[in-house]
Amino acid sequence: MVRDKIRVSTRTLQWKCVESRTDSKCLYYGRFILSPLLKGQADTIGIAMRRALLGEMEGTCITRAKSEKIPHEYSTLVGIQESVHDILMNLKEIILRSNLYGTCEASICVRGPRCVTAQDIILPPYVEIVDNTQHIASLTEPIDFCIGLQLERNRGYHIKAPNNFQDGSYPIDALFMPVRNVNHSIHSYGNGNEKQEILFLEIWTNGSLTPKEALYEASRNLIDLLIPFLHAEEENFHLADNQPKVSLPLLTFHDRLTQLRKKKTKIVLKLIFIDQLELPSRIYNCLKKSNIHTLADLLNNSQEDLIKIKHFDIDDVKKILDTLEKHFGIDLHLTKAKKKR
């Protein structure tokens, strides 16, 4: 009787923030634990939370700049030390905090000579700048520097469309992901059937929200995605009376076993998602945009195929190869060669 009471109490899940620090205005760190979990549950929760933190979180970015005085993106302007391209890249790095829905307008209008920083951006009252000292441009002469800005709240990584510059309006690549990186690890304890796990979750954010806030928001988003399944019993899945019934041929046990053996490797690879490789966020998003979701999808591509992915370079491919070699001992050259035979 006493043992049963102890077992019930230890299954009461508890979470705790074991470490929290601010490395800079644009880099927060938090480390959390969740326990006690049954064997396998920590990995289930860790993978799901990592995907939610990296893919389901919203952020606010500058997505467009407009000025009638700018002839093209790679031009230089008299009295400004940076090129237009450099200014756009600096605007891309500005980190914002907001409750914005959709898009809104902002602007910069100053006179040189002076250094233009994020503090000079005129924003709506519901948008804040995380780090006012972020550099935008250096004005070396007494000239007016006036540009209009478009702000947007969204999720993921949006790449500007080429040749989409018109009327002095220039789109800017936007990294809406407020979570910079997520790691999860598992500590097991106990023996036999009493074995349990502790989930450790590390979260780095860009300062627009704390790791604790990110954990809460990602959990809520994950629950929202699963709510439809809670109402599955309310749905009526009965076949229509006039729908034809299909009879399937029966397979012998031997035939079934042979088929399963042939498909075993393929099934295993399809069950390993690229989230579990813990690749950098940019590489992960580029793979997802190329419809590469599982290890099986990834192994259907050679190095030459991967390098053709938009915004990929040889270092990104090398990172993937090193990860596959480290975790699975897989050589992408051999995989592609076998596929061609």
Side-chain angles (χ1 to χ4, degrees):
M1 187 69 177
V2 174
R3 184 176 181 179
D4 290 339
K5 288 183 178 180
I6 294 175
R7 183 176 297 176
V8 171
S9 64
T10 56
R11 280 298 298 150
T12 302
L13 293 181
Q14 295 182 340
W15 76 276
K16 182 180 180 181
C17 178
V18 294
E19 185 178 358
S20 178
R21 67 172 186 262
T22 301
D23 294 331
S24 68
K25 291 182 179 180
C26 299
L27 184 60
Y28 289 8
Y29 171 80
R31 189 166 182 250
F32 307 87
I33 60 172
L34 178 66
S35 67
L37 296 163
L38 297 179
K39 184 178 179 181
Q41 289 182 338
D43 204 30
T44 300
I45 298 173
I47 293 171
M49 286 304 302
R50 185 174 191 274
R51 296 192 70 163
L53 284 162
L54 292 176
E56 299 298 328
M57 302 286 293
E58 291 188 344
T60 305
C61 292
I62 300 173
T63 57
R64 188 173 290 273
K66 184 175 182 179
S67 175
E68 297 178 354
K69 297 181 179 181
I70 301 177
H72 57 81
E73 181 183 5
Y74 296 99
S75 61
T76 56
L77 302 177
V78 176
I80 302 180
Q81 183 173 319
E82 294 82 1
S83 67
V84 174
H85 176 76
D86 291 336
I87 295 173
L88 294 177
M89 291 300 99
N90 290 337
L91 290 171
K92 175 184 175 180
E93 299 298 323
I94 303 296
I95 298 175
L96 303 171
R97 179 191 298 115
S98 79
N99 295 319
L100 172 68
Y101 290 94
T103 62
C104 71
E105 303 297 323
S107 63
I108 301 175
C109 192
V110 297
R111 183 170 180 80
R114 56 168 297 178
C115 182
V116 184
T117 64
Q119 188 174 5
D120 297 307
I121 302 177
I122 303 173
L123 295 166
Y126 44 83
V127 181
E128 300 177 29
I129 296 174
V130 172
D131 184 2
N132 285 327
T133 65
Q134 287 184 277
H135 181 77
I136 297 176
S138 298
L139 308 183
T140 58
E141 297 182 14
I143 62 171
D144 292 325
F145 180 77
C146 296
I147 57 174
L149 303 173
Q150 175 182 283
L151 313 182
E152 181 180 345
R153 184 174 177 84
N154 213 317
R155 65 180 62 180
Y157 182 49
H158 290 200
I159 302 173
K160 64 184 178 183
N163 302 323
N164 192 21
F165 310 106
Q166 52 186 357
D167 302 326
S169 181
Y170 298 87
I172 301 173
D173 290 349
L175 182 63
F176 293 106
M177 302 161 60
V179 177
R180 291 189 170 184
N181 194 19
V182 180
N183 286 334
H184 81 274
S185 57
I186 301 167
H187 173 70
S188 300
Y189 63 95
N191 296 311
N193 295 331
E194 302 296 326
K195 196 167 187 178
Q196 295 180 327
E197 297 177 339
I198 300 175
L199 172 65
F200 291 84
L201 200 62
E202 294 180 290
I203 303 173
W204 289 263
T205 69
N206 65 1
S208 62
L209 76 175
T210 65
K212 184 177 179 180
E213 291 170 337
L215 187 63
Y216 170 79
E217 187 174 334
S219 302
R220 185 183 60 189
N221 292 341
L222 192 58
I223 292 172
D224 289 343
L225 290 173
L226 299 176
I227 282 179
F229 293 112
L230 297 178
H231 305 291
E233 293 183 358
E234 301 174 6
E235 300 293 337
N236 185 4
F237 294 109
H238 294 296
L239 293 174
D241 294 336
N242 59 351
Q243 185 171 347
K245 296 181 179 180
V246 180
S247 59
L248 298 176
L250 295 176
L251 294 175
T252 65
F253 177 78
H254 179 270
D255 293 336
R256 190 64 174 168
L257 186 59
T258 301
Q259 289 184 3
L260 287 175
R261 284 173 177 169
K262 290 181 179 179
K263 294 181 179 180
K264 181 180 179 181
T265 302
K266 185 180 294 184
I267 292 173
V268 171
L269 294 179
K270 286 184 177 180
L271 292 177
I272 300 176
F273 292 88
I274 61 173
D275 307 67
Q276 296 169 257
L277 303 180
E278 297 188 355
L279 295 166
S281 301
R282 190 181 63 80
I283 296 178
Y284 167 81
N285 280 287
C286 287
L287 291 176
K288 296 287 285 186
K289 287 180 180 293
S290 300
N291 292 320
I292 297 176
H293 305 287
T294 66
L295 187 57
D297 297 334
L298 184 59
L299 293 180
N300 280 332
N301 295 272
S302 66
Q303 294 187 45
E304 292 74 17
D305 296 328
L306 293 176
I307 201 66
K308 293 177 182 177
I309 294 177
K310 193 172 183 181
H311 300 286
F312 246 50
D313 55 37
I314 191 63
D315 290 334
D316 298 329
V317 176
K318 187 176 184 301
K319 176 67 175 176
I320 294 175
L321 294 176
D322 291 342
T323 301
L324 293 176
E325 180 69 26
K326 176 182 177 182
H327 293 286
F328 304 101
I330 295 174
D331 188 332
L332 208 58
H333 278 302
L334 297 177
T335 304
K336 188 65 175 181
K338 291 178 181 178
K339 188 179 77 171
K340 287 183 177 180
R341 288 179 182 177

